[in-house]
Amino acid sequence: MDSRDQQFSRRTVLCAAGAAIALTVVAQPTQAGTTAPQRSVDLGAGERADLAERAVVARHVRSLWGLPQRRLGTLVWPADLTEQVFGRWCYWWQAHLLDCAVDAAHRARTADRVDRVVALARGIRTRNVTGWTNRYYDDMAWLVLALERAERLLDLEFGEAIGDLRAALIDGFDPEVGAVPWRDGDDFYNTPAIGPAGIAMARLGDLARAEQLADFLHTRLRDVGSGLIRDGVHEPGGQVDSTVHTYCQGVAIGLETELALRGGGSGHHDRARALVVAVENRLTDAGVITGAAGDDSGLFMGILARYLAETALALNNTTAANIVHASARAAWANRGEVAGLPLFGADWGLPVVVPEQAGTFLQFADVSAAASANLSRDLSVQLSGWMLLEADYRLTAAGR
């Protein structure tokens, strides 16, 4: 992934700011209110997903530089001027925002939701400046997954974008290693790039490469003792980064599930099931996916929840479904509320306490250290919560 702090060119930001600064006068960020005194406890899964969607859209989604039919999500809320004019760029967060927008439009299709999907895709293309691609293979894999789902589930057309991204992933595939690297020219082959690239390859019909990518994760990056997938390995040196992240398990489960669905044999089904068991044993607390932090890691839990739901639906995996449901119950029970809309923490097992009289910018000094540490302004954290509740809805609607 590229860092969310990657800077856009000074000249472009200044030009964009000139056009956008007037808009900020009439489009100030939603003000943080006090914690809602009454909390609904009897909402259905669809209603909870709807409120998570409304919260992200209200707080983060805005027009890109005042351009028509182009929108993006600010990286924090409330957003200062730099954030409001998208002076900082984080490609992969926007890809997941787009994917969540696809979830919502598929859950309850409306013209506004479909238009939002199109506007977010156009916003990504415009803000990326040089085209649909960049040098990070994980970024491009996340975006092609969102666009492919928009085509398949919403009947939208993103053929040129999907073609460009697919070609870039194929160009990045190293046949000698049997994988794609983290980024162009790098020697680090990591799960966050290999997993989503493999899922994309499977969904786009390149099963041979998808099989190779799945085998790389299973043979090179699986920790035999825990059964979990490690972060990555430097090739050809073979130096392994043994860090374990929740989202690495998610994309590995997702890839094995896609291959099992496409006639890959019982081996992929068995691998997916074993990974789900390892996640339950080592990466949950009372059945709830373990927390991360803000910034990039804020997305990790939601990504795992998405692909647990996929394997629960596709392979009838009850354990995966139970983890999603338990995590959704915890995230909802522990949410904060601002202006009646949910605010999620980076740890779904801990309460989010929003201080009263918070003002325009959230102030952390008046709450406990634990609560303030779990009170995040990051889009990534809020997307994880939204993603989780959409996954919970899909399972509930399917009777799983």
Side-chain angles (χ1 to χ4, degrees), residues 1-3 6 89-93 95-96 128 132-145 165 169 182 192-193 196:
M1 74 198 76
D2 61 338
S3 169
Q6 180 179 340
W89 175 227
C90 189
Y91 182 117
W92 84 293
W93 290 25
H96 283 287
N128 199 49
W132 291 101
T133 63
N134 71 3
R135 64 183 296 237
Y136 291 84
Y137 292 106
D138 55 346
D139 282 6
M140 292 187 285
W142 293 124
L143 183 56
V144 76
L145 286 172
L165 291 162
L169 292 177
W182 169 44

Side-chain angles (χ1 to χ4, degrees), residues 95-116:
H96 283 287
L97 172 59
L98 175 62
D99 219 5
C100 286
V102 172
D103 288 337
H106 185 56
R107 167 172 48 84
R109 185 177 182 128
T110 65
D112 284 347
R113 285 188 170 109
V114 174
D115 288 347
R116 183 178 301 128

Side-chain angles (χ1 to χ4, degrees), residues 7 42 66 95 99 183 197 223 237 284:
Q7 296 297 316
D42 57 350
D99 219 5
R183 61 184 176 186
D223 176 69
T284 65

Side-chain angles (χ1 to χ4, degrees), residues 20-235:
I21 193 167
L23 293 176
T24 64
V25 175
V26 295
Q28 291 296 318
T30 305
Q31 293 217 348
T34 60
T35 304
Q38 296 183 353
R39 296 164 62 86
S40 300
V41 294
D42 57 350
L43 297 179
E47 294 169 301
R48 292 192 293 269
D50 182 74
L51 286 170
E53 173 198 7
R54 286 171 52 192
V56 170
V57 170
R59 295 172 186 149
H60 293 272
V61 177
R62 59 193 306 118
S63 171
L64 173 63
W65 303 334
L67 297 172
Q69 297 182 312
R70 284 163 177 81
R71 307 182 81 185
L72 287 176
T74 57
L75 302 187
V76 296
W77 171 81
D80 61 19
L81 180 59
T82 299
E83 299 293 349
Q84 291 175 47
V85 299
F86 300 99
R88 293 194 293 167
W89 175 227
C90 189
Y91 182 117
W92 84 293
W93 290 25
Q94 305 297 335
H96 283 287
L97 172 59
L98 175 62
D99 219 5
C100 286
V102 172
D103 288 337
H106 185 56
R107 167 172 48 84
R109 185 177 182 128
T110 65
D112 284 347
R113 285 188 170 109
V114 174
D115 288 347
R116 183 178 301 128
V117 169
V118 174
L120 288 169
R122 289 175 174 168
I124 290 170
R125 169 61 185 85
T126 299
R127 180 60 180 82
N128 199 49
V129 181
T130 56
W132 291 101
T133 63
N134 71 3
R135 64 183 296 237
Y136 291 84
Y137 292 106
D138 55 346
D139 282 6
M140 292 187 285
W142 293 124
L143 183 56
V144 76
L145 286 172
L147 294 173
E148 187 277 334
R149 293 183 70 237
E151 280 207 339
R152 174 164 46 89
L153 301 178
L154 304 178
D155 298 318
L156 297 173
E157 294 186 6
F158 292 108
E160 179 182 352
I162 291 172
D164 288 351
L165 291 162
R166 180 180 184 274
L169 292 177
I170 291 173
D171 287 347
F173 185 89
D174 186 331
E176 293 185 6
V177 176
V180 294
W182 169 44
R183 61 184 176 186
D184 186 41
D186 207 287
D187 72 346
F188 190 50
Y189 292 79
N190 69 342
T191 304
I194 294 167
I199 297 170
M201 295 290 187
R203 291 180 181 176
L204 295 172
D206 194 341
L207 293 180
R209 284 193 180 87
E211 287 273 5
Q212 286 181 274
L213 293 168
D215 287 346
F216 186 93
L217 294 182
H218 184 72
T219 60
R220 297 287 288 113
L221 291 177
R222 182 174 60 93
D223 176 69
V224 177
S226 68
L228 297 172
I229 304 297
R230 296 171 292 186
D231 188 47
V233 59
H234 294 270
E235 295 289 9

